[in-house]
Amino acid sequence: MNIREDVSLKQYNTFGIAAKAKFFAEVSSLADAHEICSDKQFSKTDKLILGGGSNILFTKDFDGLVIKNNFKGIEVDGDNDEYVFVKAGAGENWHSFVLHCIEHNYAGVENLSLIPGNVGASPMQNIGAYGVEIKDVFHELEAFEIATSELVRFSSADCNFGYRESVFKNKYRNQFIITSVTFRLNKTPKFNISYGAIEHELQKMGVKELSIAAISKAVCNIRSSKLPDPKQIGNAGSFFKNPVVSYELHEKIKKEFPNVIAYPSGSEIKLAAGWLIEQCGWKGYRKNDFGVHINQALVLVNYGGASGDELYNLSQEVMDSVQKKFGVSLEREVNIV
Ligand code: FAD
Ligand code: EPU
């Protein structure tokens, strides 16, 4: 296997940060994973697993081994009257996988169209958009344990999914290389257009008969109008999670800010972080090459030459101002290295 040294990561992260990796290897088979993880040279070296680099901020060079996941392949792994089980390699591009499902009429992931990155990272933070999360269609995954070189199977319960959370984001971070994910998809679609903007977009598109292809197109249109394309402006999507607060705190905020945007979330309330950040005056903020996106205050951006540190410090300033104005603690969604 080709192990490169002092590799620039600029093209491997959608923020476009020019950090370097001391060592860099691409793994595309279990044999590759075994070879690199049992190499004595790297037994004490820090390891970082990388997919498409669309949810990561490098604040410094990585003085260890980056393992770029390149497992490929999409196959049907069984079915029954209701479901088809589709297994995808972790290195498959997520949106290409969604398009593959739509083409074969496997329903369930169409609302998750156009999310950047790879299949292997999708369970990592239980990706979600437009009313659907990975956990709703997840069957199981396989992951290679770095310490033992064993292939371990995780059920949905094992992954402990939450809002933008799983065991892989916390307890098992960088301990398992997810190699494949199997999804449980519907043979007969159950359309989910609960997110108001989808219905509106479908009307605008003049769609008479609902289909998973139409929903996917509507979601792509909405996303393209709101979110910056990383090919044009460096970013990693929402930089923060939408905060979940107590009913009491929401009531308190509402008294002073009646327009606060909030949604019920179990016994608590989820606030729109983009709105909170915008109210603090950050939307469209720019200094040198770093800033807050002009259309979506939840997205921090790199106009070209920003460093990871500048973006990290900006995120801290944003968090401090939201805390001061609303008494709400924001949490970063992006993985900081
Ligand atoms: P990376 O950025 O490469 O990795 C993310 C984390 O997962 C890292 O900690 C990494 O170590 C770990 N990881 C990656 N692959 C593996 C693996 N095979 N095994 C173990 N660990 C692994 N996210 C949403 O949920 N919803 C959205 O709507 C959404 N919109 C976005 C829009 C834009 C414009 C952008 C840039 C990002 C958006 N994101 C969204 C965030 C991002 O696309 C997702 O988090 C995506 O799943 C990241 O995939 P990746 O392959 O790029 O992961
Ligand atoms: N809003 C503002 N100002 C802003 C941004 C948003 O007032 O600058 C308001 C909007 O008007 C809207 C509300 O906030 O009323 C929510 O905004 P939006 O629908 O754009 O969604 P979001 O909460 O900002 C979340 C996810 C996205 C996901 C969309 C669609 C998180 C952290 N983000 O964004 O995921 O695509 O919903 O489901 O949950 C990501 O994780 O990277 C990501 C992009």
Side-chain angles (χ1 to χ4, degrees):
M1 195 190 326
N2 182 16
I3 299 165
R4 293 187 282 148
E5 277 187 58
D6 289 327
V7 173
S8 167
L9 295 169
K10 194 170 162 72
Q11 59 162 315
Y12 294 108
N13 71 99
T14 60
F15 255 127
I17 301 295
K20 276 187 180 173
K22 180 92 182 100
F23 301 103
F24 186 96
E26 291 198 36
V27 297
S28 46
S29 65
L30 288 177
D32 285 350
H34 196 271
E35 186 184 329
I36 192 89
C37 295
S38 57
D39 189 329
K40 295 248 170 354
Q41 185 194 348
F42 300 118
S43 59
K44 294 211 165 64
T45 307
D46 279 347
K47 297 178 183 71
L48 171 72
I49 302 148
L50 192 62
S54 64
N55 205 24
I56 209 157
L57 177 67
F58 290 102
T59 57
K60 53 184 178 308
D61 289 341
F62 184 68
D63 190 28
L65 171 67
V66 168
I67 301 175
K68 170 98 173 83
N69 191 308
N70 210 15
F71 284 76
K72 289 286 158 76
I74 301 177
E75 63 186 30
V76 170
D77 194 22
D79 71 335
N80 57 31
D81 287 351
E82 208 175 339
Y83 300 117
V84 55
F85 296 88
V86 184
K87 182 173 179 176
E92 291 288 342
N93 172 268
W94 174 260
H95 184 61
S96 304
F97 168 70
V98 170
L99 293 180
H100 174 96
C101 293
I102 290 167
E103 201 182 309
H104 290 81
N105 213 21
Y106 307 148
V109 284
E110 54 282 0
N111 293 49
L112 301 172
S113 294
L114 216 59
I115 296 182
N118 294 350
V119 165
S122 64
M124 162 79 176
Q125 71 155 5
N126 178 27
I127 57 168
Y130 298 96
V132 175
E133 289 180 330
I134 272 297
K135 71 168 172 50
D136 304 325
V137 288
F138 180 91
H139 178 57
E140 64 176 22
L141 65 76
E142 286 178 338
F144 182 90
E145 187 171 19
I146 292 175
T148 62
S149 283
E150 269 176 36
L151 196 63
V152 184
R153 210 168 263 205
F154 286 77
S155 68
S156 185
D158 297 331
C159 293
N160 203 9
F161 291 124
Y163 165 58
R164 297 295 192 274
E165 283 296 342
S166 77
V167 280
F168 301 101
K169 198 159 179 178
N170 298 297
K171 192 165 121 189
Y172 294 148
R173 180 184 283 272
N174 286 317
Q175 293 178 41
F176 286 89
I177 304 172
I178 296 169
T179 56
S180 71
V181 185
T182 305
F183 299 90
R184 191 196 60 232
L185 302 171
N186 285 295
K187 287 186 169 173
T188 310
K190 292 194 178 84
F191 302 119
N192 181 341
I193 52 167
S194 58
Y195 221 89
I198 299 187
E199 211 165 349
H200 184 250
E201 183 61 31
L202 287 166
Q203 274 171 14
K204 220 168 90 186
M205 286 161 58
V207 170
K208 300 263 175 327
E209 201 178 327
L210 214 48
S211 66
I212 56 175
I215 292 179
S216 170
K217 184 79 182 76
V219 168
C220 290
N221 290 349
I222 300 165
R223 294 183 67 96
S224 307
S225 72
K226 281 190 168 188
L227 291 162
D229 178 354
K231 286 196 192 98
Q232 274 144 29
I233 308 174
N235 77 91
S238 302
F239 199 91
F240 307 98
K241 292 183 186 180
N242 284 323
V244 178
V245 302
S246 67
Y247 182 81
E248 288 75 25
L249 180 54
H250 172 236
E251 285 300 310
K252 193 168 157 232
I253 295 171
K254 215 164 72 174
K255 275 205 185 106
E256 203 180 334
F257 305 95
N259 297 331
V260 59
I261 300 172
Y263 325 88
S265 171
S267 60
E268 297 180 298
I269 307 276
K270 193 184 266 185
L271 303 179
W275 186 88
L276 298 173
I277 297 168
E278 181 177 349
Q279 298 306 305
C280 292
W282 288 106
K283 199 169 179 173
Y285 169 88
R286 176 171 180 172
K287 186 174 175 197
N288 303 327
D289 264 356
F290 60 95
V292 176
H293 193 247
I294 187 94
N295 296 331
Q296 222 315 351
L298 202 44
V299 178
L300 303 191
V301 290
N302 172 14
Y303 289 100
S307 71
D309 263 349
E310 285 174 322
L311 284 156
Y312 183 82
N313 293 339
L314 172 63
S315 74
Q316 192 58 54
E317 280 189 62
V318 168
M319 289 164 84
D320 291 346
S321 66
V322 168
Q323 179 72 52
K324 193 161 169 221
K325 191 172 176 98
F326 297 103
V328 172
S329 306
L330 290 185
E331 192 187 331
R332 293 179 183 89
E333 187 218 81
V334 168
N335 300 281
I336 310 293
V337 176

